[in-house]
Amino acid sequence: MARRDFMTVKGIGKKEGNRLYRDWDDNEDGILYYEDPIGKILIRQILPIRQDVELLKKTRNIAARNVLVHSKDGQYMTLDKVLPEDDDNQLLKMIREANPENNSKGCIGLFVFNSVSKEFIAALDVEPLNNDFNEGGITFTFSDNLVVRRRYELKLKRWVNNLFVETGLYPGGCSEAIFNGKEYVLVPIP
């Protein structure tokens, strides 16, 4: 992922005090957008724009390469060999559905970047675990750059969990959702 223009901030409004959301394209409810100047990490909601569709396509491919499935001849192969290539319109629909304004479950899709180098770090799928929105489950898909993954993996998981607790988004904290080959299991974030 050599390109650095995925960290788009075009159309995103100014910071308003400690508010976790910012206006985007004249939408007053805004999008989840937070920049940590100390840790140099930026987290923002996935948007229905060209750069995000392209990055989502890449992250879905990364996630599929990490899942093993049985082929018809009994051999193991990665899921990316089985799944058809993602269609841009299908991805735009997924992005719109991953906006809490458009779904009744409160699910949200997020991207995380290094705010200085503009390097992509991870994609997050966040979902509430119960109806009172006290706890959340997060699926992390890290960059396929192993150096980036090693540098940020534990730090980012803790940072995201702390951010959600401190801002009151998920006051009970979050767990990581990991696919074990059959189903997702929740693992506490260390």
Side-chain angles (χ1 to χ4, degrees):
M1 294 198 181
R3 291 183 43 202
R4 306 250 180 202
D5 62 347
F6 291 121
M7 197 185 87
T8 303
V9 293
K10 184 179 178 184
I12 296 172
K14 301 279 187 241
K15 183 176 180 180
E16 298 175 26
N18 291 333
R19 187 170 179 248
L20 190 60
Y21 290 83
R22 292 194 191 179
D23 293 345
W24 179 69
D25 266 354
D26 299 325
N27 178 344
E28 293 166 8
D29 292 333
I31 61 163
L32 193 141
Y33 185 98
Y34 180 79
E35 191 169 347
D36 177 10
I38 297 167
K40 297 176 179 53
I41 295 176
L42 179 138
I43 186 170
R44 75 162 168 80
Q45 190 170 330
I46 299 175
L47 302 171
I49 58 176
R50 181 80 224 136
Q51 291 95 326
D52 284 12
V53 169
E54 193 175 322
L55 185 53
L56 185 61
K57 193 179 287 187
K58 290 178 185 292
T59 59
R60 285 176 52 82
N61 185 273
I62 292 167
R65 286 191 312 234
N66 292 329
V67 177
L68 290 175
V69 293
H70 272 296
S71 66
K72 291 179 181 177
D73 59 0
Q75 300 293 319
Y76 283 102
M77 63 175 45
T78 56
L79 190 58
D80 65 318
K81 305 279 193 277
V82 179
L83 292 177
E85 190 170 321
D86 290 318
D87 174 68
D88 288 355
N89 291 327
Q90 187 180 16
L91 292 175
L92 278 169
K93 182 181 176 191
M94 289 174 60
I95 290 170
R96 288 186 184 98
E97 289 173 357
N99 183 338
E101 292 179 348
N102 301 332
N103 67 63
S104 60
K105 298 182 283 185
C107 302
I108 188 166
L110 303 166
F111 284 143
V112 181
F113 302 92
N114 178 309
S115 60
V116 176
S117 68
K118 300 184 179 183
E119 186 171 38
F120 169 73
I121 299 172
L124 314 177
D125 291 320
V126 186
E127 197 171 314
L129 296 180
N130 46 36
N131 291 336
D132 63 0
F133 295 91
N134 189 44
E135 296 179 71
I138 306 173
T139 304
F140 292 88
T141 304
F142 282 88
S143 168
D144 57 353
N145 182 329
L146 293 178
V147 174
V148 170
R149 183 177 183 134
R150 285 188 191 119
R151 184 182 321 141
Y152 289 104
E153 187 169 12
L154 286 175
K155 174 183 174 183
L156 180 70
K157 289 177 183 180
R158 288 186 197 123
W159 180 82
V160 167
N161 190 38
N162 290 338
L163 175 68
F164 289 167
V165 170
E166 290 170 10
T167 58
L169 202 58
Y170 291 104
C174 293
S175 298
E176 181 179 2
I178 298 175
F179 189 70
N180 68 6
K182 294 182 182 180
E183 62 186 357
Y184 281 94
V185 292
L186 295 172
V187 177
I189 295 176

